[in-house]
Amino acid sequence: MAADCVSFLHWALPQLGLAWPGFRRVRRQVCRRIGHRIQELRLPDPTAYRRLLETTPDEWAVLEHCCRITISRFFRDWAVFKQLRDHILPQLAAGVAEERRHLRAWSAGCASGEEPYSLAILWRLGLDLPAVGVEIVATDVDQDLLERARRALYPPSSLREVPAPWRLVAFEPERQGFRVRPEFREGVSFVQQDLRRENPSGRFDLILCRNVAFTYFDDAGRRATLRRFASLLYPNGVLVIGREEALPEGEGQFRPCSGAAGIHSFVTREAEKASPACT
């Protein structure tokens, strides 16, 4: 079954706009889901499932759901949030303060909400910026995950990287886990969107797109997504991607920020001077 499933994925993923290399490490998880779907349909193997897909267009949406990877927790990759706290956010905040507006951030592919809430907690507890407000728009294609995000209730395992003092302040313990307190949910909104085709309205000072587009999308999808990011960022805005990701080669809309090793952040080349958020 494992070899048959991998062969099936090599055929199916490109038709979904996805790329096999990103799925190599998570193939077992995806193949388990596909295996369960094959059993539900009472089919003998992935070859039979492929024949079904070729004649049943609606089944592709089910397969796409099987291929969604949702690995999420609060402050995942703490070094990224440290760089945000120590360098990127203070400088971005200084710029928006001069313009007398809120800082706008987009968490693209937010899964069940840990990343945007982490940013909100960092903003309120890790920084001293009382004069600057923040608006965080979080998007994901999966409505079930977004409903969980809106409930803001998480198991203890999701909080293991939250600094202990912040955990006491930002979360309220309940019988089923820990809920993000209301004051840390203010300014955070969740919208169902497919990152490959849609984006929130307006422009942003910060876009976080980690371990989504530049891991799982095919080359065309990565390039299209990057171009939209470039059009949606303010000139000195910052794009942050996953530590094991890279931008598509040959796309010149962004230049890297200097900073801590392994922190992949970029600013648009349209900025007339080096972004102060890149240090």
Side-chain angles (χ1 to χ4, degrees):
M1 174 65 180
D4 288 346
C5 181
V6 169
S7 177
F8 170 81
L9 288 173
H10 276 284
W11 169 78
L13 290 173
Q15 301 186 65
L16 292 168
L18 303 173
W20 161 252
F23 286 84
R24 186 177 289 111
R25 291 184 179 180
V26 296
R27 63 188 183 277
R28 292 182 179 86
Q29 178 182 347
V30 174
C31 284
R32 280 196 301 271
R33 295 175 182 171
I34 293 173
H36 292 154
R37 180 56 179 167
I38 289 172
Q39 290 177 358
E40 288 176 353
L41 295 169
R42 298 185 179 181
L43 296 173
D45 52 37
T47 301
Y49 188 43
R50 172 173 173 170
R51 288 196 296 266
L52 176 71
L53 287 162
E54 290 172 334
T55 59
T56 312
D58 290 348
E59 183 63 26
W60 283 97
V62 180
L63 175 61
E64 184 178 43
H65 192 275
C66 292
C67 294
R68 293 175 189 167
I69 306 301
T70 55
I71 302 171
S72 187
R73 59 185 180 273
F74 285 90
F75 295 100
R76 180 182 179 187
D77 297 330
W78 170 250
V80 172
F81 288 93
K82 184 177 186 301
Q83 185 77 354
L84 286 169
R85 180 194 65 190
D86 294 346
H87 301 290
I88 294 174
L89 287 175
Q91 295 295 341
L92 289 176
V96 302
E98 291 181 2
E99 299 175 20
R100 297 184 179 182
R101 61 177 179 84
H102 286 357
L103 184 144
R104 297 195 78 226
W106 175 18
S107 173
C110 70
S112 48
E114 289 92 332
E115 181 178 83
Y117 286 138
S118 294
L119 186 61
I121 293 168
L122 182 75
W123 183 267
R124 289 167 174 79
L125 298 182
L127 299 164
D128 184 16
L129 302 168
V132 180
V134 63
E135 176 188 353
I136 302 169
V137 181
T139 65
D140 200 273
V141 68
D142 193 315
Q143 185 61 44
D144 291 337
L145 289 176
L146 292 175
E147 287 301 318
R148 179 183 172 189
R150 294 185 183 104
R151 289 195 298 270
L153 181 63
Y154 299 92
S157 59
S158 293
L159 279 65
R160 64 177 184 266
E161 293 183 61
V162 180
W166 294 5
R167 185 183 306 177
L168 293 173
V169 176
F171 294 88
E172 187 172 11
E174 297 187 6
R175 291 180 61 184
Q176 295 178 306
F178 293 85
R179 194 181 300 275
V180 181
R181 294 182 187 274
E183 58 267 35
F184 296 94
R185 305 202 301 266
E186 292 178 3
V188 182
S189 60
F190 294 95
V191 181
Q192 183 182 20
Q193 288 183 339
D194 188 333
L195 179 58
R196 290 169 294 180
R197 304 176 185 91
E198 304 169 282
N199 49 260
S201 61
R203 303 187 77 180
F204 295 91
D205 303 284
L206 173 67
I207 296 177
L208 296 170
C209 184
R210 301 189 298 150
N211 311 304
V212 184
F214 305 109
T215 295
Y216 300 112
F217 291 3
D218 64 12
D219 186 65
R222 295 178 190 190
R223 293 180 187 277
T225 301
L226 186 66
R227 290 166 190 162
R228 283 191 290 116
F229 286 165
S231 70
L232 292 168
L233 277 169
Y234 285 106
N236 283 320
V238 176
L239 167 65
V240 179
I241 66 175
R243 64 179 181 179
E244 297 183 3
E245 295 180 311
L247 298 184
E249 294 183 2
E251 296 287 342
Q253 306 95 323
F254 289 88
R255 62 175 178 81
C257 291
S258 58
I263 309 304
H264 298 309
S265 53
F266 303 83
V267 293
T268 56
R269 290 189 182 276
E270 68 176 283
E272 295 181 357
K273 61 181 179 179
S275 172
C278 295
T279 57

